[in-house]
């Protein structure tokens, strides 16, 4: 009888350990992160995160203040950003900053909200920014008006993940979405890194 009880206790203990392992494997051992303030909560899914380093294409379709399309692509061999539209140019680290700001865009809870999406400049949006990954996943952010010129100015945004919400994000934390193509260019006329040079030719003129 005692042996039977011991076997039962061991069986129960074994089942408990298995359930604990399964719970930890599925992330059940920790509470889910609060993503309620993010404009793009899907980027912060603990199981399928959308990291800055994962993004290899950025597309900005802008209609205000002027109509233009900016496209940035990452060279897979060097992880350096390049401007591919409106014309091919070397890009600076500003593209990486743009990606980081978009993925981290979060609601400013102290900001006032306009009465509707049209008043926020989101119907239609001034521009639509799309981040893409090589596996086919993408995220989209709609960008509207800037509330003011003050230090606490916000940019009103929305996303397909929250289509009915107007999300105010501090301009100081999302200002990269307002930049023009020249702001993303590599400021150096020559190669930014010595490794970019393939050959160097010097020509000396004859001096009498």
């Amino acid at each position: 009888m005692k042996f039977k009880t011991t076997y039962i206790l061991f069986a129960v203990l074994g089942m408990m350990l298995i359930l604990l392992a399964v719970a930890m494997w599925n992330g059940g051992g920790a509470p889910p992160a609060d993503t309620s303030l993010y404009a793009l909560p899907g980027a912060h899914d603990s199981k399928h995160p959308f990291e800055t380093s994962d993004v290899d294409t950025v597309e900005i379709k802008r209609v205000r203040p002027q109509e233009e399309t900016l496209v940035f692509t990452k060279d897979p061999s060097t992880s350096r950003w390049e401007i591919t539209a409106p014309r091919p140019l070397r890009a600076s680290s500003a593209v990486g900053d743009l990606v980081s700001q978009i993925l981290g865009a979060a609601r400013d809870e102290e900001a006032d909200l306009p009465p509707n999406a049209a008043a926020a400049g989101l119907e239609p949006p001034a521009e639509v920014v799309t981040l893409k990954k090589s596996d086919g996943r993408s995220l989209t952010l709609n960008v509207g008006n800037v509330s003011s010129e003050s230090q606490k100015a916000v940019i009103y945004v929305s996303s397909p993940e929250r289509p009915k919400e107007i999300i105010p994000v501090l301009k100081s934390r999302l200002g990269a979405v307002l930049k023009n193509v020249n702001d993303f260019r590599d400021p150096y006329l020559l190669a930014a890194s010595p490794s970019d040079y393939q050959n160097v030719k010097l020509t000396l003129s004859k001096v009498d």
Side-chain angles (χ1 to χ4, degrees):
M1 186 70 179
K2 292 182 179 180
F3 285 112
K4 185 177 180 180
T5 302
T6 302
Y7 290 145
I8 293 174
L9 290 175
F10 272 114
V12 171
L13 178 60
M15 289 297 296
M16 292 177 64
L17 290 174
I18 291 173
L19 291 174
L20 178 60
V22 171
M24 293 180 67
W25 178 264
N26 291 327
D34 181 13
T35 61
S36 60
L37 296 180
Y38 286 112
L40 299 173
H44 305 275
D45 184 339
S46 59
K47 294 183 180 179
H48 305 287
F50 210 102
E51 304 288 351
T52 301
S53 58
D54 295 336
V55 179
D56 54 22
T57 304
V58 181
E59 182 181 78
I60 301 177
K61 289 189 175 181
R62 185 174 289 159
V63 296
R64 299 193 303 272
Q66 64 182 33
E67 189 170 341
E68 60 181 344
T69 298
L70 309 182
V71 180
F72 310 97
T73 57
K74 185 191 291 181
D75 186 331
S77 62
T78 63
S79 295
R80 293 178 184 167
W81 285 101
E82 299 174 352
I83 301 171
T84 55
R87 58 190 183 278
L89 295 164
R90 282 201 308 271
S92 69
S93 59
V95 181
D97 295 337
L98 168 68
V99 175
S100 296
Q101 287 190 8
I102 292 172
L103 293 179
R107 179 188 302 274
D108 177 16
E109 297 183 280
E110 297 180 359
D112 294 327
L113 290 178
N116 50 56
L122 290 167
E123 203 171 82
E127 65 181 58
V128 177
V129 186
T130 304
L131 307 181
K132 301 178 182 179
K133 291 175 58 176
S134 58
D135 65 2
R137 288 183 64 198
S138 65
L139 294 172
T140 300
L141 185 72
N142 303 315
V143 180
N145 295 339
V146 179
S147 64
S148 68
E149 296 298 325
S150 70
Q151 292 184 342
K152 293 186 177 181
V154 297
I155 301 174
Y156 299 116
V157 303
S158 66
S159 72
E161 296 180 62
R162 294 182 162 175
K164 296 182 179 180
E165 293 186 51
I166 299 171
I167 305 169
V169 181
L170 284 171
K171 181 183 176 183
S172 59
R173 297 182 180 178
L174 192 60
V177 298
L178 305 177
K179 292 183 176 181
N180 59 47
V181 65
N182 289 328
D183 294 323
F184 294 103
R185 291 183 61 179
D186 188 329
Y188 298 99
L189 294 177
L190 297 177
S193 170
S195 61
D196 293 337
Y197 296 103
Q198 296 181 349
N199 57 71
V200 177
K201 181 179 180 181
L202 297 178
T203 302
L204 298 178
S205 59
K206 185 177 179 180
V207 179
D208 293 331

